Amino acid sequence: MIEIRLPDGSVMEFEEGVTVKDIAGKIAKSLEKNAVGAVFNGELIDTLTPIRVSGDIKILTAKDEDSLHILRHSASHVLAKAVKRIYGEDSVKLAIGPSTSEGFYYDFDIPESISEEDLGKIEEEMLKIIKAKEPFKREVVSREKALELFKNEPYKLELINELPDDAEITIYWLGDDFYDLCRGPHVEHAGMIKAVKLLSVAGAYWRGDSRNKMLQRIYGTAFWKKSQLDEYLHRLEEAKKRDHRILGKQLDLFSIHEEAGPGLVFWHPNGAILRQTIENWAEEEHRKRGYERVYTPHLMKAELWKTSGHYDFYKENMFFVPVVEHDEDEKLGNEEIPLTPEEIERANWYAVKPMNCPAHILIYKSQPRSYRDLPIRYFEFGTVYRYEKSGSLHGLLRVRGFTQDDGHIFCRPDQLKEEIQSVLDYVMELLSTFKLDYVINIGTKPEKYIGTDEQWEHATNSLIEALKERGFDYNIVEGDGAFYGPKIDIAVLDAIGRKWDGPTIQVDFNLPERFDVHYVDRDGEKKRPVLVHRAIMGSVERFIGLLIEHYAGLFPLWLAPVQAVIIPVSDKYMDYADEVYKKLKEAGIRVKLDDESGKVGFKIRKAEVQKIPYMLIVGQKEQESGTVSVRSKKEGDVGSMPLDKLVDKLKFEIENKI
């Protein structure tokens, strides 16, 4: 007999080999009918998988978010079977087909190129399989049988050969003529997939390694109800309208140039104004909260990163360069001087910084510190560089060079909770100012970490207590901490409900130990400070990308690179338009004068496309009365307004961040 523990704490006994379906039936017939899977001892399983050990179970229905992974994983197998049918059993080689947070995908090696236009016929074939309610069936097979079954599937053979000798190998059948190497789980039959849609085709290297063959990846999504799918597709359309890469070009904010290097951002004048406005706000907030501004080098010796632990835990994401010291009388000139193997051997290796924390620690260590000095709060707009695979780069959201509003707090253990709460207060000010919703997660100890278990427990508890005392709801995400300590990650929600990485607060008992950082306590003894890593916006680039999509390019007046444009109805009124322009400019308003020839309607449409908050139209009536005709991008025609009143209105909106 085995014991099955339910979420309410009750325990039920069953014979070995019981299924989720059996357990659900003992609880309630309605649950048996609606069960689509379960979480058993922390792992997803399907309704018909035999359970042979005691454990904790949560039975899933379509109302549970985890159930979507079962549905979507099943849909990926239906996709694979459909592709095999259309393009030929022998021609199609299967790679992998997992579920994702948004849907699913499957990677194929096919001689024939699949286009977006082909998705319709593949989807039609999927619907035939779904309509036939072809069943999913799990089978445990020996290694020998698995190798025989997949002898013509090279990618599956590679995966099988990497499995440990004692691994249980399972395949899933879909109907009588398709099987796949898979751990599951799946729905009972394909007919349970009520709403499915193929979305796009892309290239993907096998196992994400550019040295491997490029495969064809088909993306799709699935939901339990058609209404849910329709809502998702509507959000996708909204997301396309808000794509920061398109809007960035339309609004002339930034560009990325392959000839300069992928993932490196060039800020145009409009983008620079937007960025500077945000950074000025952050600079003032840091000053008010007791932070001291610092600047640190972009390039530092590799040995420093060995001390910090980044070399051991992060080197695959870092850029390294050999630096050869030359004699003073050596004339280098401008010619290219290739490094010989001997020079590389004796070179000093430097790393372009991926983080700012070791640099801030060196500033802290530059002089003796007393308990009276703490807390010390350093802050830097620190530009860092991290190697991201070119296929993962995405506009401002994932880049190789980016700037963090990075801060480090050195404090005594008794000050830790108060400092965390102070950072939380700052984060809430940010989210309130930019009108953003959020979700708070706590990341705990990952598989690879430094420091003792006791230090991790103390740090994690400090984060939890700070959140509880501030009354915040939060989620625990097991294993999601940094290698040097646990963290609070705040996911920001945009206007259409998408989650973005945002503010982070990380407690670190480890780097002070590695760098032998200390302060002299009131008893005259040397003590270790606690180090708090925190970024309020996170990456400035990603935060601006978020804001572009959140506001769909129509920024609040205080953020808009161009806050108003003056449009004269004809050249006859250009002198008055220039007078209005100078008046607004003197008041500190970012204004431009559209003095190009052309009809008023064309100029208005141009300003609409550029998403300028206010259009100020001037003609004979406005010139004679000393007014302007105001057109708001959000509100439409506001009417005629005296110039002084307009200036007061705009300044009020800007100063109050309306």
Side-chain angles (χ1 to χ4, degrees):
M1 299 293 286
I2 58 174
E3 291 185 344
I4 302 296
R5 291 176 290 276
L6 304 178
D8 63 3
S10 60
V11 178
M12 301 176 73
E13 288 191 344
F14 294 93
E15 297 285 345
E16 285 187 27
V18 67
T19 67
V20 172
K21 200 80 167 174
D22 298 328
I23 297 169
K26 289 291 185 182
I27 298 171
K29 287 298 178 185
S30 59
L31 185 59
E32 180 182 15
K33 179 182 177 182
N34 295 317
V36 296
V39 179
F40 182 70
N41 288 342
E43 291 190 7
L44 279 175
I45 62 172
D46 48 46
T47 57
L48 300 180
T49 298
I51 298 173
R52 306 191 186 281
V53 297
S54 298
D56 300 305
I57 196 168
K58 178 187 176 185
I59 297 175
L60 303 175
T61 69
K63 294 179 180 178
D64 295 292
E65 188 171 347
D66 282 339
S67 71
L68 283 172
H69 288 287
I70 300 174
L71 178 75
R72 290 166 176 170
H73 193 181
S74 304
S76 77
H77 280 230
V78 175
L79 167 61
K81 180 169 182 173
V83 170
K84 282 271 192 182
R85 278 186 180 178
I86 293 171
Y87 294 95
E89 182 72 28
D90 296 329
S91 297
V92 177
K93 305 302 178 188
L94 302 177
I96 57 171
S99 66
T100 68
S101 60
E102 294 288 318
F104 62 88
Y105 66 81
Y106 212 112
D107 291 344
F108 302 97
D109 186 351
I110 312 176
E112 186 175 341
S113 178
I114 299 176
S115 68
E116 302 279 338
E117 289 72 29
D118 296 322
L119 297 183
K121 68 179 181 182
I122 298 173
E123 199 173 292
E124 282 181 19
E125 195 63 40
M126 290 176 68
L127 293 176
K128 292 177 185 177
I129 298 167
I130 291 168
K131 187 176 181 180
K133 298 185 178 180
E134 295 192 19
F136 282 93
K137 179 186 173 185
R138 180 178 183 268
E139 182 182 353
V140 180
V141 298
S142 66
R143 183 178 295 268
E144 292 71 25
K145 184 173 180 179
L147 292 172
E148 175 61 26
L149 286 169
F150 294 101
K151 62 185 178 182
N152 295 319
E153 294 282 358
Y155 303 103
K156 301 296 183 183
L157 288 177
E158 183 176 326
L159 296 173
I160 293 168
N161 287 323
E162 290 179 357
L163 292 173
D165 292 338
D166 59 349
E168 180 182 72
I169 301 177
T170 57
I171 64 171
Y172 271 82
W173 290 83
L174 176 55
D176 299 323
D177 57 348
F178 177 84
Y179 54 85
D180 201 355
L181 180 71
C182 183
R183 293 177 58 188
H186 292 288
V187 294
E188 293 177 29
H189 61 81
M192 296 175 69
I193 304 170
K194 301 297 184 184
V196 66
K197 181 70 176 175
L198 299 184
L199 301 171
S200 61
V201 183
Y205 291 110
W206 168 237
R207 311 194 93 164
D209 190 333
S210 59
R211 293 170 295 184
N212 292 334
K213 187 171 184 178
M214 175 73 79
L215 307 177
Q216 297 187 70
R217 175 173 293 178
I218 298 179
Y219 287 97
T221 193
F223 291 87
W224 294 109
K225 296 179 180 178
K226 186 177 183 301
S227 60
Q228 295 170 327
L229 174 61
D230 290 342
E231 181 183 345
Y232 175 77
L233 295 176
H234 173 70
R235 283 196 289 117
L236 280 186
E237 287 302 313
E238 281 298 309
K240 288 179 184 177
K241 296 175 188 175
R242 296 167 180 267
D243 191 321
H244 75 281
R245 295 166 299 177
I246 296 171
L247 289 170
K249 186 174 183 179
Q250 179 181 322
L251 304 180
D252 196 22
L253 299 176
F254 69 92
S255 58
I256 295 171
H257 303 272
E258 288 299 316
E259 59 267 38
L264 303 174
V265 181
F266 290 72
W267 293 97
H268 298 196
N270 282 347
I273 290 170
L274 173 62
R275 175 171 170 163
Q276 186 177 33
T277 302
I278 293 169
E279 289 183 353
N280 287 346
W281 176 87
E283 180 90 49
E284 178 61 18
E285 288 295 325
H286 277 90
R287 186 193 62 77
K288 290 192 299 189
R289 296 168 194 276
Y291 287 85
E292 299 173 288
R293 180 76 181 263
V294 297
Y295 296 86
T296 60
H298 289 230
L299 195 69
M300 290 174 273
K301 284 187 174 181
E303 290 300 319
L304 179 72
W305 305 101
K306 291 180 180 179
T307 301
S308 71
H310 289 93
Y311 185 85
D312 294 326
F313 289 88
Y314 205 73
K315 63 174 175 285
E316 67 275 8
N317 297 101
M318 296 173 65
F319 293 97
F320 292 93
V321 292
V323 177
V324 179
E325 302 290 343
H326 294 278
D327 295 334
E328 288 184 11
D329 60 352
E330 188 171 354
K331 304 298 183 183
L332 297 181
N334 293 319
E335 71 277 10
E336 181 182 350
I337 304 179
L339 295 180
T340 66
E342 293 76 18
E343 286 177 315
I344 292 177
E345 183 66 28
R346 67 182 175 86
N348 289 315
W349 283 87
Y350 282 69
V352 185
K353 66 176 177 180
M355 315 279 184
N356 298 295
C357 31
H360 292 188
I361 290 172
L362 293 182
I363 294 175
Y364 177 92
K365 287 188 66 177
S366 65
Q367 59 181 280
R369 307 292 180 180
S370 161
Y371 72 95
R372 294 188 183 90
D373 299 324
L374 304 185
I376 290 175
R377 307 180 188 98
Y378 292 142
F379 155 68
E380 175 179 14
F381 280 118
T383 301
V384 298
Y385 300 86
R386 300 177 187 175
Y387 176 73
E388 299 280 357
K389 293 177 181 176
S390 58
S392 68
L393 299 174
H394 184 78
L396 298 177
L397 306 185
R398 189 171 290 276
V399 293
R400 287 181 175 171
F402 58 94
T403 302
Q404 295 175 305
D405 60 332
D406 209 1
H408 293 89
I409 302 169
F410 300 83
C411 64
R412 305 189 306 266
D414 61 291
Q415 298 170 322
L416 177 59
K417 186 168 65 176
E418 184 179 348
E419 289 302 310
I420 293 170
Q421 290 175 333
S422 175
V423 176
L424 285 170
D425 291 342
Y426 185 0
V427 168
M428 292 304 127
E429 182 66 25
L430 170 94
L431 298 173
S432 173
T433 298
F434 292 92
K435 309 296 187 293
L436 298 168
D437 292 326
Y438 60 90
V439 175
I440 300 177
N441 297 316
I442 294 181
T444 60
K445 185 170 62 183
E447 194 173 318
K448 286 186 176 183
Y449 64 94
I450 53 179
T452 67
D453 291 340
E454 291 77 14
Q455 288 173 326
W456 275 83
E457 183 178 0
H458 183 86
T460 304
N461 288 339
S462 297
L463 295 174
I464 290 172
E465 288 171 12
L467 287 168
K468 283 183 175 178
E469 290 192 13
R470 281 291 190 270
F472 292 121
D473 294 326
Y474 59 89
N475 305 305
I476 299 289
V477 183
E478 299 292 347
D480 197 44
F483 73 86
Y484 48 76
K487 61 180 180 177
I488 294 174
D489 277 336
I490 298 177
V492 177
L493 304 179
D494 70 10
I496 57 174
R498 295 170 300 177
K499 292 181 181 178
W500 303 69
D501 291 339
T504 184
I505 307 168
Q506 303 169 359
V507 178
D508 187 353
F509 290 93
N510 298 303
L511 287 184
E513 188 79 29
R514 282 176 165 262
F515 281 93
D516 191 26
V517 176
H518 57 260
Y519 65 93
V520 178
D521 208 354
R522 54 172 51 87
D523 59 8
E525 297 291 323
K526 288 184 178 180
K527 302 285 178 66
R528 296 273 185 233
V530 180
L531 176 60
V532 178
H533 308 250
R534 42 101 298 179
I536 307 303
M537 287 183 282
S539 156
V540 174
E541 282 75 6
R542 178 176 290 172
F543 186 72
I544 292 176
L546 181 163
L547 291 182
I548 293 170
E549 300 202 3
H550 179 67
Y551 294 121
L554 179 54
F555 299 106
L557 189 64
W558 73 282
L559 285 177
V562 178
Q563 294 167 324
V565 57
I566 301 164
I567 301 174
V569 299
S570 76
D571 291 346
K572 290 191 296 183
Y573 308 107
M574 195 63 71
D575 288 343
Y576 179 62
D578 188 57
E579 181 185 328
V580 173
Y581 170 81
K582 290 176 180 176
K583 181 81 171 181
L584 293 176
K585 196 82 171 174
E586 288 171 5
I589 294 161
R590 296 190 289 270
V591 61
K592 75 173 187 177
L593 172 60
D594 190 341
D595 55 3
E596 294 182 6
S597 58
K599 294 182 178 180
V600 174
F602 171 77
K603 293 182 178 182
I604 289 174
R605 284 193 297 275
K606 185 170 66 172
E608 291 273 358
V609 169
Q610 294 171 346
K611 297 183 184 290
I612 298 172
Y614 284 101
M615 288 167 271
L616 310 176
I617 301 166
V618 296
Q620 181 177 349
K621 182 179 70 173
E622 288 78 20
Q623 179 175 285
E624 291 173 352
S625 60
T627 63
V628 290
S629 181
V630 181
R631 184 184 179 93
S632 166
K633 172 70 175 168
K634 287 184 177 179
E635 302 170 21
D637 288 326
V638 176
S640 184
M641 191 175 296
L643 188 53
D644 288 342
K645 185 178 178 181
L646 172 66
V647 170
D648 291 342
K649 171 183 169 61
L650 298 184
K651 288 178 68 175
F652 179 82
E653 285 188 28
I654 293 167
E655 290 167 4
N656 291 277
K657 297 179 174 59
I658 294 173

